[in-house]
C-alpha cells in the first residue's frame, strides 16, 4: 500500500470519524431517550394491569350472570338467563360487533412457488409468512414471522363511541374469487359486512389485500372519517453474525411522491410523520415484510425497540397509521403485502412500465451506499454480478472476475499513479542534493520551493499520484456497502468459507475479551487475516519502492502499517466475500506493480525528464498564483526574522 493510497484511506477515515462524532447523541438526547423508554415501560405495566383488571372483572361478571338469576328459577332457565345477560354486556361493549367476539380460530393457507402465507380467522390477519426458496443459516425454513410474532388490526368506532379492533374479533373464512384467494368476513349487525380479501398470484412475492365494507351506515360513529391501522412485527434472527444482521435491520418507508427513508438500525426510536406515505417496510438484512397501499397512508407513528433479551429476535417494529374512510358508504381500500428477498432486480421489476411519479422504489431496500456511490453499484457492479451469474454458480469465481473487471477499468489510473511515483523516484538523487544545499531547518521553505521547481521543470507532480487513488475511492466505498448486503452472496460457499455474506471464522472463543470482542467479535476470520497480512507485506515492499527522498510527515511510516490493521478491525465481522475481494485486489495490485517495474525503463524515463527541463515552460494561472503566494510568504518570514533579530539585539543591550 503506497503513500498516496494511505493518504486516500486516511482522508476517508477522518471523514467517517468526523461524521460519527458530529452525529453522536447529546446528553440531553440521551436523557430524553431514557425518559421515553421509562415511559414506555411504565405504559406497558399499566396496560398489563388494566388487562388483568378487565379479565378479572369479566370473570366476575360471568360468574355473576348466573348468580343474578332470580331465586327459585329452574336450572334449565338459569343458563339461558345468564347467556342473555352476557350478550347484553357484549353488545354494550362492542355494539354490532358483539357476535364476533367469540368464535373458533381457523387458519387458511395460500401458497405459490415463492411464498407461503397463513391467514387466521382470529383477526382475519396474516399470521405466518415463509419465503420458500430460502432457508436460515441453521438450514431451517425461512419464516419471516409466525403466530405471536406479528399483529395486524383495524380500529372501528361504533355508534356508541366504543372502540373495536379487528385483531380481537373472529372472522368467517369464505372461498375467494380465485383458487388461491380467501375472504375473511366479519358480520356487523343485520346487514353490515367487513371483508378482508386475500389473493396470492402465481410466482409472485406480492399478496393482494383488500378491505371491503358495506352496510355500516348507522353502525359506526358518524364523525369517523378514517380507519386507524396498527401493525406490529418482531424481526427474527435469520443470519449468522447478529451484529452485522442487526446493523442492516431497519424500518423503511416511502413518502407518497418522494424519497425512501429509514431508521431504527442502532437504537430504540420513535418517529411521528404528518406526510402521506406509499408503503411501510420491516426489513431484515436480506428479507422484507412490506405493506403497500393503493392510495396513501395518512398521519403515521413508528416505533422501534431493540430486543437484546431474546436471541431469537433482533427488534420489534410498531406502526400506527390511518387511511381515509367513509362510514356512510360502501368502501374498498386496496393494499399489497410484499414478503420476499431484498434482491435489486426483483424489487426493481415492480416499477417496470410505471410512470416515475408512481413508482414504488422498493429497490431502496437494498443498501448500496450514499447517493453519490449508489449509481456505481446499480449500473456497474450489479450488472456484472447478474451477467456472470447466468453462466456460473461459484460466487468465489464471480468475485475474482469482478475484481479483474474493476482492476481493468482502473488500470489507466493505476498506471498513471505508478508513473508519477516513478518520475519522482528517478529524481530522488537530485532531491537529495537539494537537501545538502539547504541543510538548515529555517531553510525548509527554500528546500520545498526548490523541490517543487525541480518537479515542475521535469514534468513530475506529487498530486498526479494521489489524484488517481482518490478517483478510485468511490468504487471501493461502493463495494464496501454492497458486499455485506448482496443477497447473491448469501449462503454461497467458497474454499473454506461456508457463507461469503458473513465472516469465515477459523478460530472462535466464548469468553468476552474487553475491547477486543467489541471490535472484532469472538472469532478470527481467515480471509480478513490473509488480507491484512498481504497488505502489511505490500506496504513494506512498496515503501522502499516509492521513496522519493522527500521529507515525510512525522509518523507517516507508522501510519502505513496502522491502516491494514484498522481494516482488520473493520472487516473481521463483515462479509468474508468483501475481505476476499480486497485480498484478490491487493494481490493483483502487487502483480501490476511488478509488471510496471519490469516494463518501465527508469533510465529512459530520467533522460526524458532531463529533456523536459530544457523545454520552455509556460506557467499556468494556478502556478503563477502559487508562486506569488510563496513569494508573499517568504517576505513575511524575512520580516519576522528581522523583527526577532531586533528584539534579541535590544534585549542584549
Amino acid at each position: 500500500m503506497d503513500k498516496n493510497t494511505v493518504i486516500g484511506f486516511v482522508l476517508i477515515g477522518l471523514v467517517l470519524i468526523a461524521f460519527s462524532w458530529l452525529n453522536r447523541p447529546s446528553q440531553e438526547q440521551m436523557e430524553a431517550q431514557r425518559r421515553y423508554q421509562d415511559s414506555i415501560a411504565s405504559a406497558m405495566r399499566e396496560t398489563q394491569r388494566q388487562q388483568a383488571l378487565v379479565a378479572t372483572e369479566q370473570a366476575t361478571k360471568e360468574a355473576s350472570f348466573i348468580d343474578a338469576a332470580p331465586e327459585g328459577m329452574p336450572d334449565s332457565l338459569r343458563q339461558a338467563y345468564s347467556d342473555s345477560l352476557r350478550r347484553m354486556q357484549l353488545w354494550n361493549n362492542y355494539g354490532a360487533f358483539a357476535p364476533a367476539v367469540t368464535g373458533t380460530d381457523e387458519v387458511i393457507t395460500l401458497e405459490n412457488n415463492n411464498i407461503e402465507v397463513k391467514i387466521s380467522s382470529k383477526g382475519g390477519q396474516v399470521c405466518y409468512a415463509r419465503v420458500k426458496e430460502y432457508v436460515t443459516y441453521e438450514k431451517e425454513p425461512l419464516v419471516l414471522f409466525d403466530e405471536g410474532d406479528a399483529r395486524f388490526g383495524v380500529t372501528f368506532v361504533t355508534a356508541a363511541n366504543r372502540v373495536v379492533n379487528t385483531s380481537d374479533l373472529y372472522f368467517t373464512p369464505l372461498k375467494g374469487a380465485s383458487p388461491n384467494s380467501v375472504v375473511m368476513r366479519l358480520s356487523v349487525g343485520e346487514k353490515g359486512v367487513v371483508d378482508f380479501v386475500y389473493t396470492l398470484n402465481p410466482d409472485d412475492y406480492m399478496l393482494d389485500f383488500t378491505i371491503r365494507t358495506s352496510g355500516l351506515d348507522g353502525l359506526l360513529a358518524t364523525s369517523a372519517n378514517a380507519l386507524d391501522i396498527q401493525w406490529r412485527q418482531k424481526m427474527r434472527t435469520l443470519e449468522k453474525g447478529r451484529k452485522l444482521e442487526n446493523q442492516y435491520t431497519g424500518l423503511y418507508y416511502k413518502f407518497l411522491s418522494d424519497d425512501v427513508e429509514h431508521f431504527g438500525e442502532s437504537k430504540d426510536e420513535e418517529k411521528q410523520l404528518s406526510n402521506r406515505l406509499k408503503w411501510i417496510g420491516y426489513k431484515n438484512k436480506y428479507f422484507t415484510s412490506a405493506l403497500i397501499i393503493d392510495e396513501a397512508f395518512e398521519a403515521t407513528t413508528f416505533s422501534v425497540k431493540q430486543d437484546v433479551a431474546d436471541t431469537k429476535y433482533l427488534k420489534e417494529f410498531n406502526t400506527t397509521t390511518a387511511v381515509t374512510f367513509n362510514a356512510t358508504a360502501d368502501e374498498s381500500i386496496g393494499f399489497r403485502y410484499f414478503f420476499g428477498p431484498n434482491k435489486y432486480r426483483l424489487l426493481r421489476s415492480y416499477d417496470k412500465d410505471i410512470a416515475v411519479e408512481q413508482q414504488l422504489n422498493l429497490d431502496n431496500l437494498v443498501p448500496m451506499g450514499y447517493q453519490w456511490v449508489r449509481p456505481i453499484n446499480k449500473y456497474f457492479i450489479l450488472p456484472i454480478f447478474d451477467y456472470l451469474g447466468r453462466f456460473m454458480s461459484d460466487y468465489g469465481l464471480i468475485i475474482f472476475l469482478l475484481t479483474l473487471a474493476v482492476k481493468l477499468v482502473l488500470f489507466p489510473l493505476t498506471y498513471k499513479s505508478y508513473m508519477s511515483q516513478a518520475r519522482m523516484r528517478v529524481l530522488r538523487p537530485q532531491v537529495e542534493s537539494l537537501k545538502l544545499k539547504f541543510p538548515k531547518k529555517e531553510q525548509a521553505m527554500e528546500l520545498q520551493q526548490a523541490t517543487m521547481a525541480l518537479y515542475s521543470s521535469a514534468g513530475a507532480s506529487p498530486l498526479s499520484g494521489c489524484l488517481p487513488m482518490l478517483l478510485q475511492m468511490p468504487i471501493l466505498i461502493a463495494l464496501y456497502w454492497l458486499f455485506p448486503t448482496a443477497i447473491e452472496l448469501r449462503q454461497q460457499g467458497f474454499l473454506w468459507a461456508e457463507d461469503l455474506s458473513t465472516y469465515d471464522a477459523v478460530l472462535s472463543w466464548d469468553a468476552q475479551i474487553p475491547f477486543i470482542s467489541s471490535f472484532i467479535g469472538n472469532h478470527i476470520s481467515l480471509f480478513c487475516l490473509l488480507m491484512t497480512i498481504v497488505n502489511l507485506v505490500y506496504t513494506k515492499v512498496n515503501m522502499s519502492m516509492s521513496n522519493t527522498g522527500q521529507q515525510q510527515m512525522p509518523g507517516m511510516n507508522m501510519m502505513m502499517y496502522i491502516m491494514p490493521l484498522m481494516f482488520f478491525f473493520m472487516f473481521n465481522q463483515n462479509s468474508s466475500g468483501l475481505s476476499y475481494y480486497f485480498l484478490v485486489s491487493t494481490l493483483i495490485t502487487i502483480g501490476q506493480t511488478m509488471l510496471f517495474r519490469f516494463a518501465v525503463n527508469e533510465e529512459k524515463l530520467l533522460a526524458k525528464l532531463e529533456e523536459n527541463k530544457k523545454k520552455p515552460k509556460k506557467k499556468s494561472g494556478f502556478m503563477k498564483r502559487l508562486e506569488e503566494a510563496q513569494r508573499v510568504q517568504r517576505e513575511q518570514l524575512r520580516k519576522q526574522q528581522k523583527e526577532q533579530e531586533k528584539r534579541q539585539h535590544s534585549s542584549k543591550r
Side-chain angles (χ1 to χ4, degrees), residues 198-483:
Y198 297 93
T199 303
L200 184 59
N201 298 315
D203 301 323
D204 199 356
Y205 293 95
M206 290 284 190
L207 173 68
D208 292 339
F209 169 47
T210 305
I211 299 177
R212 294 193 312 224
T213 63
S214 63
L216 299 182
D217 189 16
L219 300 177
L220 301 181
T222 55
S223 60
N225 57 6
L227 292 180
D228 286 340
I229 294 176
Q230 300 83 36
W231 182 30
R232 173 185 66 85
Q233 182 178 326
K234 290 184 176 181
M235 309 305 291
R236 290 189 165 199
T237 302
L238 305 174
E239 313 298 333
K240 177 183 176 182
R242 181 183 179 91
K243 180 178 179 179
L244 189 62
E245 183 181 14
N246 197 57
Q247 179 182 336
Y248 291 103
T249 299
L251 196 157
Y252 282 60
Y253 54 92
K254 182 189 184 302
F255 294 110
L256 186 61
S257 300
D258 208 337
D259 296 332
V260 175
E261 294 189 5
H262 60 94
F263 73 108
E265 284 86 350
S266 59
K267 59 183 179 179
D268 291 358
E269 292 186 72
E270 185 179 71
K271 183 173 291 190
Q272 294 182 346
L273 299 174
S274 58
N275 312 67
R276 305 176 78 197
L277 305 180
K278 183 62 179 178
W279 56 260
I280 301 161
Y282 295 166
K283 173 189 168 297
N284 279 91
K285 184 180 178 184
Y286 294 116
F287 302 92
T288 295
S289 304
L291 181 61
I292 308 162
I293 190 171
D294 291 349
E295 297 299 327
F297 294 113
E298 304 299 331
T300 304
T301 299
F302 297 122
S303 70
V304 177
K305 180 181 179 183
Q306 309 289 325
D307 196 334
V308 295
D310 191 345
T311 57
K312 181 180 178 181
Y313 302 104
L314 297 166
K315 300 169 184 175
E316 180 180 311
F317 295 148
N318 283 275
T319 296
T320 300
T321 186
V323 295
T324 56
F325 176 72
N326 185 357
T328 63
D330 295 349
E331 285 276 26
S332 179
I333 307 172
F335 302 85
R336 282 180 290 170
Y337 278 110
F338 172 82
F339 302 120
N342 304 327
K343 195 169 186 177
Y344 176 79
R345 186 168 56 178
L346 166 69
L347 298 173
R348 193 62 192 160
S349 67
Y350 290 110
D351 288 333
K352 187 177 181 180
D353 301 326
I354 295 179
V356 175
E357 63 275 7
Q358 297 177 350
Q359 291 183 356
L360 297 176
N361 300 131
L362 288 171
D363 56 286
N364 282 273
L365 291 167
V366 182
M368 295 188 194
Y370 308 107
Q371 291 297 326
W372 52 279
V373 300
R374 188 175 177 88
I376 298 173
N377 284 323
K378 287 174 62 174
Y379 303 116
F380 177 61
I381 306 299
L382 281 178
I384 293 178
F385 256 58
D386 290 339
Y387 179 77
L388 295 177
R390 299 174 191 172
F391 306 102
M392 58 189 72
S393 58
D394 188 336
Y395 272 85
L397 180 58
I398 290 176
I399 291 176
F400 178 77
L401 295 176
L402 172 65
T403 312
L404 288 178
V406 172
K407 284 295 183 181
L408 183 62
V409 171
L410 298 178
F411 183 84
L413 297 178
T414 306
Y415 179 74
K416 185 176 181 180
S417 178
Y418 177 85
M419 291 303 298
S420 174
Q421 295 176 26
R423 293 188 188 97
M424 297 174 68
R425 185 169 58 250
V426 298
L427 291 173
R428 177 182 175 182
Q430 300 180 40
V431 174
E432 295 289 350
S433 64
L434 290 175
K435 289 182 178 180
L436 297 176
K437 186 177 180 181
F438 302 99
K440 299 180 181 180
K441 288 185 178 181
E442 55 269 22
Q443 294 178 314
M445 180 63 67
E446 286 84 350
L447 175 60
Q448 181 183 8
Q449 292 172 352
T451 303
M452 295 304 297
L454 171 64
Y455 288 153
S456 178
S457 63
S461 172
L463 291 178
S464 64
C466 185
L467 184 60
M469 185 59 206
L470 292 177
L471 294 177
Q472 295 179 46
M473 280 301 160
I475 295 180
L476 300 178
I477 295 173
L479 292 171
Y480 179 81
W481 274 94
L482 180 65
F483 271 57

Side-chain angles (χ1 to χ4, degrees), residues 55 70 73 97 102 120 237 265 277 300 347 420 465 484 500 536 605:
M73 178 178 286
F97 293 89
T102 58
S120 172
T237 302
E265 284 86 350
L277 305 180
T300 304
L347 298 173
S420 174
L500 288 171
L536 287 172
L605 178 61

Side-chain angles (χ1 to χ4, degrees), residues 143-158:
V143 177
L144 297 179
F145 58 87
D146 202 346
E147 186 176 358
D149 296 344
R151 178 184 174 96
F152 178 90
V154 179
T155 298
F156 291 95
V157 181
T158 68

Side-chain angles (χ1 to χ4, degrees), residues 57-85:
E57 182 182 355
Q58 184 67 21
T60 303
K61 285 181 178 178
E62 291 190 4
S64 66
F65 289 152
I66 297 178
D67 295 339
E71 293 184 6
M73 178 178 286
D75 292 341
S76 59
L77 296 178
R78 291 177 68 86
Q79 187 62 46
Y81 183 82
S82 65
D83 290 343
S84 177
L85 289 179

